[in-house]
Amino acid sequence: MTTTNDMDTDATMSDAKASRFDYGLALATLWKASDGDPIDSVDVAGQGGFLTALGEVAPKERIDAVMSLAGPALPAGLERVMAGSEYLRDCALHRPKRFLSILQRSPETSLDAARDTFLSAMTSATDKSAAMRALRSYKDTAAMAIALADLSYARPVDWVIRQMSDLAEATVSASIDWLLSEAARAGRYLPPSPDQPSLDSGLVVLGMGKLGAGELNFSSDVDLIVYYEPTAPLREGLEPGPFFVRLTRDLVKLMSEITERGYVFRVDLRLRPDPGATQPAISVDAALQYYESLGQNWERAALIKARPIAGDREAGERFLQDVAPFVWRKYMDFNALTDVHAMKRQIHAHKGHDAIAVAGHNVKLGRGGIREIEFFVQTQQLVAGGRNPHLRHRETLVMLDRLTETGWITEAVRDAMADAYRFLRALEHRIQMVRDAQTHDLPSDADDLEAFSRFAGFAAAEALRDELLPRLESVQRHYERLFERSPSLTSDSGSLVFVGDTDDPETLETLGQLGFKRPAEVSATIRAWHYGRFAATRSERARERLTELVPSLLEAFGRVGDADAAFAAFDRFVRALPTGVQVFSLLCSNRHLLGLIAEIAGTAPRLAEILARRPRVLEALLEPDFLSQTIDPALLAEHLARTLAQAESHEDVLDRARIFGHEHMFLIGVQLLTGALPAKEIGKSYADLAETLVDQLHAAVRQEFAHRHGIVPGAESALLAMGKLGGRELTATSDLDMIVLYDGADGTVTSDGEKPLAASTYFLRLSQRIVASLAAPTAEGSLYEVDLRLRPSGNAGPLATSLDGFVRYQRENAWTWEHMALTRARLVSASPRIREAVSRAIRDVLTLKRDRETVRADVATMRQRIRTQKGATDPWDIKAAEGGIIDLEFIAQFLQLAYASDHPDILSPTTETALRAIASKDLLPQDLGDGLVNAAELYQSLVQVSRLALNEPFDPARASPELARLMTRTAGAQDLAEVERRLIEAERMVTRAVSELIG
């Protein structure tokens, strides 16, 4: 804040305020307090200010004794302070010795001394009158010390709001302790620790709002909620409800009753559940039941700042933990955002704060004010704090930093909001210091505004205006970007009206201009939404949100090649939603998603169906920079571990894993769709996600299973990925092929739990639990289909195989096709010991010396069998077509089995990687090796797109323009015809290679 502290300004202030402030009286009072001779009267009007006037009646040493006692803590313009604040002047003149004592010491020293004196006085207080005197004396002393430190700029505003909060907390806490001690002396309360009456009392006192956040202003109410536990230690027969209600009322009297010494803080209890129908103190159980069933979003926002400040603080922390699921939702909650913004609009409408100004402007509730900064922070916390515990913090300035760290806002926005917050809070303090009044309004009268500006440290009202207006405008601008997307029933293209039973001609014309070929069908569909014919649109609120969306929605779909088909897909999405408020609120707050949804609907019908079944996956798109995110296995594992750590039960673990998996699968699909991630990397991304989920669910299942059955001492389980998971070529529709192995247990060993099991039975049932953790449907659906048929002996073999048995089978009994499958084996969950043992065993099997002609004949026989059963003639059936993926994999697997004994480094579970390694060893002609590698890359890219977008084989004749463009872009071709030409050429080349290499 820009200030003016020079003597010329103070002299001007003196002249301007001479009629309002009797300097002679002030000097006489201070003179007496400093042990000088009494001064009967001094006429100082027009004599150049406070210091000049003091010089008229005292020698220099007396001026030093009175006016320079505080050193750097003394405001250079003390006269400005005394003239501008009736409250501080009265405090100084009524108790001048205390005032001079504050000036002599640092603010911290004064506050510590005042606190010690206060706590001693409260301990010795024998009645309420004595307690009330101690409380008010402490408040006056501490408030003066804080105010002088603030006005002199000896301490920053962050320090000021923290000290005011500490002052309020100390008075509330001491009052509670005194009241409990009083009840103990009367025999009504039986304190477990008489010296600490609040300890284990079961009395929860939460500081809310600015007090809870440690951000109290100079003349604020203190917002409290009082709860009690029914097991509080009271005299037998005494009901806790009436006891704590009476104690709460006594607390309000101690703090708020106005006496000859004033009051401490005004206490506001209206943030408790349903304040119009509940007592001032309510039970913890009743509060939790209320929040669970009837809690509102504004109450969630309020509880963000809740903090135990008095009473049984451990019980308070327990309550906050219990209520956390209400405050911090598992899912991003954009319904909360619209609710909180509705509160802000009501403030503007009913309080007259709807325009930015200086004279008469409310710096708290007005446009660009403190409340907008707080709402800006809190709503983003409500939206994302359930998913990210780092965003759960009470303090506004800390949260601006954290929102920046997590990518929700930029550093520039943080700096602008933080600067405005500090400026406005400091200005708020000065407004309230004038008369210790609970006001946030700047003076409306021009002369009063000029006088206040000088008191606040500005050269004039114009200087205040120059500092204030840019900050208000900056806050309003950032706030509006977050909240205020005004709904409209018109488009830039024309009218969009969907009421009544008939089509509006202008609306049909507008729809046609937007690109819809069947505008009447679109109009009828939207009217059906408005009539609430589907679950998602039955509530009035959902229809309101959808009405806001319609113009932007139609414009987004109009930009899609087949607008009608894309809109029809979105209609299916709406019809499938069980409820619409959350999703529609999310889209209202994030209009940029509409274009992406339109692209999904027009390009990838299968992805659109997933969106319809699981609309919460939209939240994955709201993470900052989501399109540039890659699947980093280490970060993915850390994120999933943090998510699962918040689970309250094993069932919750499974639900959270499914939410996490569905969101990331959807995210990967959108990255492919938008080109943010190359198609050739998609298989690895899907596989890394699956591996992370498999590994951590494996651990969770082992832990849960051990609760009942213990562990098999010395034994471990491992999950061996096969097929596309093993080869890191997973698609959007792939099953997980796995084998469950265990090691370190023989047939005589049993588990050590409450219900012991033989080792073989133990790992059989554990395998079933592992499969269920991935495949079983829960409230959040299932994750993957799991296929264990590649285990030794297939369906005839046990679900879990011992490592020794697995190795023995592979060496002695496995068919060539099973060794082919083994080339794609990769451990995805195992301890280092068993990982090393399994990897070594697989490598040993794959590098065995084999008769190449025998292997060639076996592979040829297997290929012919598959072609007979599953062969396809359509070149777009890339997996089964002659020369397609199956043939390409057979080539890679045959060559690895045939040559790995001499070239073990050609082994790789990924087909393309194995072919590259084989080609580098001159085991193939260079042109053939390069052709096979290129075919592998082309096949994988096209298959990834078709599996993501469609539920049936790709048909170029029926493909939407968007899907055709995606296929073309993925293949790096000019058009779809070129893609098909290259695909056919690749399949012919692979077929020729099969003939040459395998026969």
Side-chain angles (χ1 to χ4, degrees), residues 906 915-923:
I906 68 173
L915 289 171
R916 288 184 186 278
I918 291 166
S920 71
K921 298 295 182 182
D922 296 327
L923 300 176

Side-chain angles (χ1 to χ4, degrees), residues 657-722:
R658 280 152 175 73
I659 293 168
F660 182 92
H662 295 154
E663 286 183 355
H664 282 78
M665 291 176 206
F666 189 77
L667 174 61
I668 294 168
V670 172
Q671 289 179 319
L672 171 60
L673 196 66
T674 59
L677 198 63
K680 63 182 180 180
E681 296 181 20
I682 294 295
K684 181 180 181 302
S685 293
Y686 277 129
D688 286 340
L689 172 61
E691 182 173 346
T692 301
L693 287 161
V694 167
D695 183 45
Q696 296 199 24
L697 284 175
H698 180 203
V701 169
R702 288 200 312 265
Q703 182 179 2
E704 175 69 13
F705 197 68
H707 285 163
R708 184 170 180 81
H709 300 293
I711 62 171
V712 177
E716 300 178 50
S717 58
L719 302 182
L720 185 65
M722 307 291 285

Side-chain angles (χ1 to χ4, degrees), residues 486-617:
S486 298
S488 172
L489 291 180
T490 62
S491 161
D492 292 339
S493 303
S495 176
L496 291 173
V497 177
F498 302 98
V499 296
D501 296 324
T502 58
D503 294 321
D504 172 60
E506 292 185 16
T507 296
L508 295 182
E509 181 180 351
T510 300
L511 290 171
Q513 293 171 354
L514 287 173
F516 292 93
K517 295 182 176 61
R518 297 185 295 277
E521 292 182 16
V522 173
S523 178
T525 298
I526 295 174
R527 288 203 307 275
W529 293 348
H530 290 331
Y531 291 150
R533 294 174 183 167
F534 313 111
T537 62
R538 282 186 186 136
S539 76
E540 180 179 358
R541 187 165 191 175
R543 294 193 295 275
E544 288 173 356
R545 297 285 83 79
L546 191 55
T547 298
E548 293 179 24
L549 277 178
V550 163
S552 300
L553 184 74
L554 293 173
E555 289 174 355
F557 284 113
R559 291 188 287 270
V560 175
D562 189 342
D564 297 87
F567 178 81
F570 185 80
D571 177 48
R572 291 193 294 273
F573 167 72
V574 171
R575 293 174 185 238
L577 289 174
T579 180
V581 173
Q582 284 281 358
V583 172
F584 301 151
S585 296
L586 180 152
L587 294 175
C588 281
S589 303
N590 297 271
R591 301 296 176 101
H592 64 281
L593 291 182
L594 294 176
L596 187 56
I597 290 175
E599 184 175 358
I600 292 171
T603 307
R606 180 185 170 277
L607 199 59
E609 289 179 14
I610 292 173
L611 184 60
R613 290 197 305 270
R614 300 190 180 100
R616 291 196 185 102
V617 297

Side-chain angles (χ1 to χ4, degrees), residues 118 121-122 124-137 178-179 182 185 250 253-255 257 259-262 264:
F118 163 65
M122 287 295 286
S124 59
T126 58
D127 56 35
K128 287 183 180 177
S129 296
M132 292 170 78
R133 285 194 300 272
L135 286 161
R136 283 150 183 76
S137 178
W178 189 87
L179 290 168
E182 186 78 353
R185 286 190 288 271
D250 288 342
K253 181 176 181 179
L254 283 179
M255 296 285 294
E257 185 173 286
T259 71
E260 72 281 358
R261 304 290 293 273
V264 189

